[in-house]
Amino acid sequence: MLVSGDVLNTADQCGSACQVETVAQARVQPPAPSAADLQVVPGPLAEDVDPAAPVFVAARTGRVQSVTLENESGKTVDGRLTPDGKAWRLGEQLGYGRTYTMTITARGPGGMPSRQTSSFSTVSPDQLAAVYLDTTAGTLIKDGATYGIGTVIVARFDSAITDKATAERRLRVTTDPPVAGSWNWIDDQTAHWRPEKYYAPGTSVTVAADIYGAQLGDGLYGDEDEQVSFRVGDSHVSVADDTTKQVSVYDNGKLVRTMPTSMGMGGTETVGGNTFSFWTPSGVYTVLDKANPVIMDSSTYGLPTGSSLGYRTTVPYATRISTDGIYLHQLNATIWAQGNTNVSHGCLNLSSDNAAWFYDFSVPGDVVEVRNTGGPPLTLAQNGDWSVPWDQWRRGSALNA
C-alpha cells in the first residue's frame, strides 16, 4: 500500500524529464494558419502610374500561386511566376490611359489560401513625343552599319521638349571601348552627342532612347523606346589647306593621297535682299552623305539661278560635308585652277580621278578639316559639331546647366 509520501516521491522523481518532454511537445506543434504576406506594386487604386514602371507581386511569407492582370477591356497581360512561387513579374509593356485589375491567389506559411484583387490606372498623356536616332545628315542611323570616327549622334524629337534634363537622362550612349562624351541641345527638339575626341577605329556604339513612360514636359510623354547600334570603321581624316590648295587624305594615320583643289572664291553678294558668302568656312566637318550625280541648284538656298552667280548643274561624284551644300566633287572645268586658285562658290572642286577615288573611299562620319581659308568659320548649324570646343560643347547638356 502506497502512502502519500510515496506518491510525492514519484512525482519528484519525474522532475526535469517531464518538463523537457512537455517543451518538446510544444515545439512540434504546427503554426497557426495565416495568410501569405504579399507586397503588391503598384499599390491598390494607384493613379497616373508610369506604364514603364515595375509591376510585381512578392511574397514576404508564403507563396504566390497565380496572378492574372487584365485591362479594362478584359485583355490579359503577360506575366511570369518564379519557380519558387516567391514573386510574379510583368512580362510585357503596359499602355497609356489604361485601368488594370490584378487578381492574386496565394497560400500562407501554414497553407491558408487567400485571394485578393488590386486595381490601378496608368497616366493619360495630353501629347506623345517620338524620337528619331539620326546622323547629322538628317537620316536614320542604320543598325549594324559602319560609320566614320567623327560620327555625331542626333536625337531628334517631333515635339518641343521642355524637360530636357529628364529627356537627356533617358538618352544613353554606350561604347566599347568606353569613351567620354556628352549631349548638346541644339534646339528644343534636337540634341547632338559626340565624344571629346574622335572614336578609335573598331569602336562599337549603342544608342538607346528609353523615353516610353517618361514625362518630357507638361502633359507630354515619350512615345516609344528606340535603340540602334553601329561600328566605327577605319580612321579617315582629310585636311584641305587653302595655303597649299591641296587635300591630304590620311587612312589610319598614313597619307594615302594628295588632291589639288579649288575652294570658295571668297567675298559676298547681296541678291534680292539676301547676302550670300562664297567662302569655304574653316573648321572640322564630317562626311554627311554622297551621291553620283548630284543636281546642284543655287535657288534651293535662295540664290536665283538666273542671277550672275546663280547655277543649276549636274555634278558627278559628290561627297557632301555641310548642311548648306558644300561638297568635294568633280568639276573638270576648274582643273586649271585646282592647286593654285579658288574659283568655286564654296565647294572643293576636284578632278575626275580624285573625286571618284574620294567618293569610293569615304563613309558618313569621316573627318574633313578645312584650314586657312578666309571668311567666317564653320558654324554648328553647318555641320560644325567638331569645331565647338569641348568645354563649350558640354555646357550644352541639360545636365550640366
Side-chain angles (χ1 to χ4, degrees):
M1 181 176 179
L2 296 174
V3 297
S4 60
D6 292 329
V7 175
L8 291 171
N9 289 339
T10 301
D12 290 342
Q13 290 173 3
C14 179
S16 61
C18 293
Q19 293 175 3
V20 171
E21 183 178 356
T22 301
V23 171
Q25 289 174 348
R27 286 177 176 172
V28 298
Q29 292 299 319
S34 62
D37 181 10
L38 304 178
Q39 180 188 13
V40 180
V41 177
L45 303 180
E47 297 180 343
D48 294 332
V49 172
D50 176 353
V55 176
F56 66 90
V57 178
R60 298 187 183 97
T61 63
R63 295 179 185 277
V64 180
Q65 289 189 301
S66 68
V67 177
T68 301
L69 184 65
E70 294 182 339
N71 67 17
E72 73 281 1
S73 300
K75 179 183 177 182
T76 301
V77 181
D78 183 48
R80 294 289 182 270
L81 187 64
T82 59
D84 62 3
K86 287 295 185 181
W88 177 94
R89 295 189 182 279
L90 187 66
E92 63 178 285
Q93 183 172 272
L94 299 183
Y96 284 117
R98 294 286 191 176
T99 297
Y100 294 92
T101 299
M102 186 183 296
T103 303
I104 308 161
T105 62
R107 283 192 178 274
M112 176 182 286
S114 63
R115 183 178 186 275
Q116 67 181 79
T117 60
S118 177
S119 295
F120 64 91
S121 59
T122 56
V123 67
S124 295
D126 295 333
Q127 186 181 358
L128 294 176
V131 65
Y132 303 91
L133 302 177
D134 290 348
T135 68
T136 48
T139 56
L140 291 173
I141 297 171
K142 295 180 181 179
D143 195 53
T146 297
Y147 290 90
I149 63 169
T151 298
V152 174
I153 297 162
V154 177
R156 178 173 55 85
F157 293 86
D158 65 357
S159 300
I161 305 301
T162 56
D163 189 348
K164 294 182 178 64
T166 294
E168 191 171 326
R169 290 187 187 98
R170 298 297 187 108
L171 300 174
R172 296 183 293 106
V173 180
T174 54
T175 65
D176 183 16
V179 299
S182 176
W183 291 97
N184 180 0
W185 286 85
I186 308 305
D187 55 41
D188 288 343
Q189 293 182 233
T190 313
H192 289 196
W193 188 96
R194 71 165 175 87
E196 180 179 2
K197 300 177 181 179
Y198 302 143
Y199 304 92
T203 298
S204 297
V205 183
T206 298
V207 190
D210 299 328
I211 64 168
Y212 184 75
Q215 186 172 7
L216 307 177
D218 186 16
L220 177 68
Y221 285 77
D223 189 0
E224 293 183 3
D225 294 341
E226 298 291 344
Q227 180 170 309
V228 68
S229 297
F230 64 91
R231 178 183 176 276
V232 176
D234 292 332
S235 173
H236 293 172
V237 178
S238 300
V239 179
D241 192 335
D242 197 29
T243 303
T244 61
K245 294 179 175 52
Q246 304 286 324
V247 181
S248 302
V249 183
Y250 297 86
D251 186 358
N252 292 317
K254 180 182 178 181
L255 180 64
V256 293
R257 198 172 186 97
T258 301
M259 307 182 298
T261 188
S262 177
M263 291 190 269
M265 69 183 77
T268 59
E269 186 81 14
T270 300
V271 179
N274 297 315
T275 300
F276 301 92
S277 173
F278 299 103
W279 296 99
T280 304
S282 291
V284 181
Y285 302 70
T286 55
V287 170
L288 296 176
D289 49 36
K290 55 188 180 179
N292 181 32
V294 165
I295 298 175
M296 294 189 175
D297 187 342
S298 63
S299 65
T300 59
Y301 60 89
L303 181 60
T305 55
S307 65
S308 60
L309 292 171
Y311 57 87
R312 179 180 170 85
T313 185
T314 300
V315 178
Y317 296 110
T319 303
R320 186 165 69 109
I321 62 172
S322 84
T323 56
D324 56 351
I326 296 176
Y327 290 78
L328 286 86
H329 65 80
Q330 173 185 320
L331 192 62
N332 288 334
T334 65
I335 286 180
W336 65 270
Q338 292 169 23
N340 61 81
T341 307
N342 289 331
V343 296
S344 85
H345 289 70
C347 289
L348 289 81
N349 296 171
L350 302 171
S351 68
S352 297
D353 288 346
N354 285 331
W357 180 89
F358 190 77
Y359 180 93
D360 292 336
F361 175 79
S362 298
V363 298
D366 284 352
V367 175
V368 178
E369 299 180 12
V370 175
R371 301 176 180 174
N372 300 317
T373 60
L378 182 68
T379 66
L380 181 58
Q382 292 173 293
N383 189 35
D385 297 74
W386 286 101
S387 294
V388 179
W390 180 243
D391 287 346
Q392 180 181 338
W393 180 271
R394 291 185 70 252
R395 287 196 293 272
S397 165
L399 303 181
N400 293 330

